[in-house]
Amino acid sequence: MMRGAALPVRPVDRTLASALSPTLFGVLGDPVDHSLSPAMQNAAFAAAGLPHVYLRYRVAPQALAAALDEARALGMGGLNLTIPLKEVALCLVDRLTAEAERIGAVNTIVFERRGDRLVGDNTDGRGFLASLRGRVRLRGQTAVILGAGGSARAVGTALAASGCARLVVANRTAARGERLASRLADLGGAPIASVPLASRALRDVLGDAALVVNTTPAGLAGAGLPVEPSATPSHCLFVDLVYGVRPSRFLARATRARRRTLDGGLMLLHQGALAFEAWTGRPAPRAAMARALRAAGLSLTEPRAAASVWARRPPRS
Ligand code: NDP
């Protein structure tokens, strides 16, 4: 895969695509080599009896416009976008769904009329809420988001409409946390506050929290977060959007404090299933997708007995 060129499809991929007469799908990002979306979506297409192929492409932000042009020309069926393309894509598609507009980022592109119109959607927020189902009751509760980047926007937009009584954004760079809080407040829903990550104010908020979500990549590089799990009520659920074979440092600390934990594997599954449904109009074969993720080493734990999540349906686009 080349960086910075138009959508780089290798000859073997073109051959495969035309030989099967399938539709080509893919994920664009940089880095993207670690993405489990190809394994998950190819398993979904196979289980649904569809002859489609899903590939990964390393594409830098400045090459995204050219990549989308080439994807149109190839008659691709749909795309996922990952870091760092989700926000750049906002002005490169023909139309945004209401949800992509609310979140302010695109993680799924639907090609209408074989590429005549590119529709930017976002399935991260709904995928996140689906991963919580059966694990935590949000209605009337306090939820805390650590981080204020792209994924925090999706998680915050979903939580703001989830019926929780208070949503608090805690970010390392306080000004960015305040900007996200004010953006979420404009959407209506739960009252939103922001506090600096390393602050007494965060410790006070944790004392009430039913849910703490880490949307930062801290921990991947070994950095810790100034959050003390034992400061939360014993029923508090700790979620880390990062997923992997081993628990993140953030979740390992929560487990040591005897708090329940969930990693980002189920969110990956559900956001991918929602993308599959947007592309194909068919129910996603979630069991087959989950098997592919488990085969890649993710644990995808089922919920134990817990109250259900109450979530308002996202606005229709
Ligand atoms: P962004 O780069 O947009 O945002 C990163 C955020 O993390 C910023 O708020 C930044 O704070 C904060 N941060 C970064 N490093 C540190 C640190 N060492 N200590 C404290 N805060 C830190 O990233 P995204 O939001 O797009 O992605 C975040 C993570 O979520 C990634 O690891 C990604 O893989 C994962 N993810 C998982 C998904 C899933 O399906 N499971 C879906 C989407 C994302 P500051 O503002 O101060 O720089």
Side-chain angles (χ1 to χ4, degrees), residues 34 82-83 86-87 124 146-153 170-174 176-177 197 214-220 223-226 240-243 263-269 271:
H34 66 286
T82 186
I83 294 175
K86 293 182 183 182
E87 288 161 41
D124 279 339
L146 308 175
S151 58
R153 276 202 213 179
N171 195 46
R172 180 177 62 182
T173 307
R176 194 175 180 191
L197 188 55
N214 178 26
T215 72
T216 81
L220 284 181
L225 285 168
D240 198 332
L241 296 200
V242 169
Y243 52 84
D263 75 10
L266 272 182
M267 174 177 171
L268 175 71
L269 169 69
Q271 63 77 30

Side-chain angles (χ1 to χ4, degrees), residues 23-212:
T23 309
L24 190 58
F25 294 78
V27 56
L28 316 184
D30 186 13
V32 76
D33 291 352
H34 66 286
S35 174
L36 296 180
S37 291
M40 177 172 69
Q41 297 293 1
N42 284 319
F45 289 137
L50 295 169
H52 302 331
V53 177
Y54 186 106
L55 302 171
R56 63 169 80 89
Y57 303 96
R58 184 144 56 92
V59 173
Q62 61 275 22
L64 182 58
L68 294 181
D69 282 346
E70 191 166 342
R72 274 186 216 261
L74 282 168
M76 288 185 81
L79 289 169
N80 285 129
L81 302 181
T82 186
I83 294 175
L85 306 177
K86 293 182 183 182
E87 288 161 41
V88 189
L90 284 170
C91 56
L92 297 178
V93 292
D94 299 306
R95 183 171 76 78
L96 292 171
T97 62
E99 190 158 18
E101 209 163 328
R102 276 165 64 82
I103 292 172
V106 171
N107 84 328
T108 298
I109 297 182
V110 179
F111 286 54
E112 280 182 354
R113 287 182 263 140
R114 291 205 68 89
D116 256 11
R117 271 163 66 89
L118 269 51
V119 181
D121 193 7
N122 198 311
T123 63
D124 279 339
R126 280 175 291 152
F128 169 73
L129 274 190
S131 77
L132 296 188
R133 202 171 294 140
R135 293 169 197 274
V136 62
R137 181 180 292 280
L138 292 173
R139 198 167 208 164
Q141 302 292 324
T142 294
V144 178
I145 300 175
L146 308 175
S151 58
R153 276 202 213 179
V155 165
T157 303
L159 288 176
S162 71
C164 60
R166 181 168 61 143
L167 184 55
V168 180
V169 176
N171 195 46
R172 180 177 62 182
T173 307
R176 194 175 180 191
E178 283 159 21
R179 278 200 300 279
L180 176 60
S182 122
R183 181 188 168 92
L184 295 176
D186 287 345
L187 298 176
I192 320 277
S194 75
V195 297
L197 188 55
S199 67
R200 173 69 201 252
L202 175 59
R203 198 181 163 87
D204 291 346
V205 165
L206 289 175
D208 261 348
L211 176 70
V212 179

